[in-house]
Amino acid sequence: PQFEKPIFTYWCLILSMKALGQNAFAARFVPAIFGFLGVLLGYWMAFFIFRRKTIAFLSGFILATSFIWVALSRSVLTDMVFSFWVVLSIAAFYYGYVNQDRKNLGIILCGFFSGVAVLAKGALGIVFPLGIIFGFLAYRRDLKFLKCWASAWSVLIFLAIAAPWHIYIYNHFGKSFIDEYWVNDHVRRIFEAEHQKSNTWYFYLMTVVTGVFPWSFFLVPAGVVLWALRGRKEIASHLVFILVWIGLVWGIVQIAQSKLASYIFPVFPAVAILLGVYFDKILSGGSE
């Protein structure tokens, strides 16, 4: 038994190899298809937030051509699969927040997708979405948004998806599962660095800069342009949501002593969307 990660990615690998054979293509097909779906998700999210096809296309294109996205789309790791479900969970919440008539649907789907994310990599599958949601709503002073029947259903659906596998494995393997999965993979990495050289304040900053290459050169000018847009009410709240998304994920993984480039991976769709907004303003001459 291998308890370092939950089961979802392995289920996908099993299905892929049953369909395509036990070979490298079948293994790489799993992160590749989720990488492709992640680009589509980034496109859709940018479009429903800003209602501009140009921003959506640019965001998807930037994400698809970023170094780290290409690398993890062909690496047989859990991170691409995990990131897709985390971002989908975040997207479902914000879709419900922006479209109040779809509020209940968005909240319920957020719980469902978070449950799958937990099955893909563990507790961060719920820590990331909840951190972003509560951080954003606290900033907006709108925590009452979650005071509805859909929130209770979202919790129940999350537990129905995430809990059974964990309970089943614990019942079959007991202490060995707890020691490897919870103590070693979840708790120890908070307090002990696996790679001491990576345990620096700037590690994730450099990861983002190198991860979005060749678009890294535009991060600073994008920041200047986006700062100038902060006073425009029609996009200001959207920019806040994206910045909270980036900041909360960054803050959560920065706390842990163990630092790996893949831990910060769920921020890259958000960074791509910000760059998409920047390039749209540049291409339109700043007139829109």
Side-chain angles (χ1 to χ4, degrees), residues 26-277:
R28 295 184 193 277
F29 181 80
V30 172
I33 196 66
F34 277 96
F36 174 74
L37 292 174
V39 171
L40 294 182
L41 176 58
Y43 173 94
W44 173 77
M45 203 170 177
F47 179 75
F48 95 73
I49 291 175
F50 295 104
R51 303 295 178 183
R52 283 182 59 81
K53 290 183 179 179
T54 306
I55 293 178
F57 172 79
L58 290 168
S59 301
F61 182 78
I62 290 166
L63 187 61
T65 54
S66 294
F67 168 72
I68 197 168
W69 201 266
V70 175
L72 289 186
S73 289
R74 64 186 310 275
S75 300
V76 188
L77 301 169
T78 59
D79 300 286
M80 181 60 76
V81 179
F82 168 73
S83 179
F84 173 79
W85 293 105
V86 167
V87 175
L88 196 55
S89 175
I90 298 165
F93 157 76
Y94 199 60
Y95 179 76
Y97 188 82
V98 171
N99 302 282
Q100 290 288 318
D101 59 325
R102 305 287 178 86
K103 170 183 173 177
N104 292 330
L105 176 63
I107 291 174
I108 289 172
L109 287 177
C110 177
F112 178 89
F113 297 139
S114 295
V116 182
V118 168
L119 282 182
K121 196 172 180 177
L124 286 178
I126 188 61
V127 172
F128 282 160
L130 279 186
I132 294 165
I133 290 168
F134 279 101
F136 174 72
L137 291 178
Y139 177 85
R140 298 279 296 178
R141 297 182 180 179
D142 194 18
L143 288 170
K144 64 181 182 296
F145 175 82
L146 296 175
K147 193 176 181 180
C148 60
W149 63 266
S151 294
W153 274 104
S154 182
V155 172
L156 291 175
I157 291 170
F158 167 80
L159 292 174
I161 292 173
W165 177 82
H166 290 82
I167 295 170
Y168 175 84
I169 297 299
Y170 173 73
N171 286 336
H172 280 72
F173 298 99
K175 188 175 183 299
S176 59
F177 170 63
I178 296 296
D179 289 345
E180 177 61 25
Y181 181 76
W182 289 111
V183 177
N184 183 57
D185 201 47
H186 283 78
V187 178
R188 185 183 63 81
R189 295 186 182 188
I190 298 175
F191 301 102
E192 297 179 20
E194 285 188 282
H195 308 284
Q196 194 60 47
K197 291 182 179 179
S198 301
N199 190 21
T200 62
W201 66 267
Y202 55 83
F203 176 77
Y204 288 124
L205 174 64
M206 296 307 299
T207 300
V208 171
V209 171
T210 57
V212 296
F213 183 84
W215 309 102
S216 316
F217 303 105
F218 300 98
L219 288 173
V220 172
V224 174
V225 170
L226 293 172
W227 177 256
L229 295 173
R230 72 190 186 282
R232 295 180 56 171
K233 292 183 180 180
E234 69 274 17
I235 65 172
S237 64
H238 300 315
L239 292 178
V240 166
F241 172 72
I242 295 171
L243 290 174
V244 168
W245 173 357
I246 294 171
L248 261 296
V249 173
W250 194 315
I252 289 168
V253 297
Q254 184 67 33
I255 292 170
Q257 297 299 300
S258 286
K259 293 178 173 62
L260 295 174
S262 58
Y263 289 177
I264 197 88
F265 192 55
V267 308
F268 284 95
V271 174
I273 292 173
L274 290 181
L275 287 169
V277 174

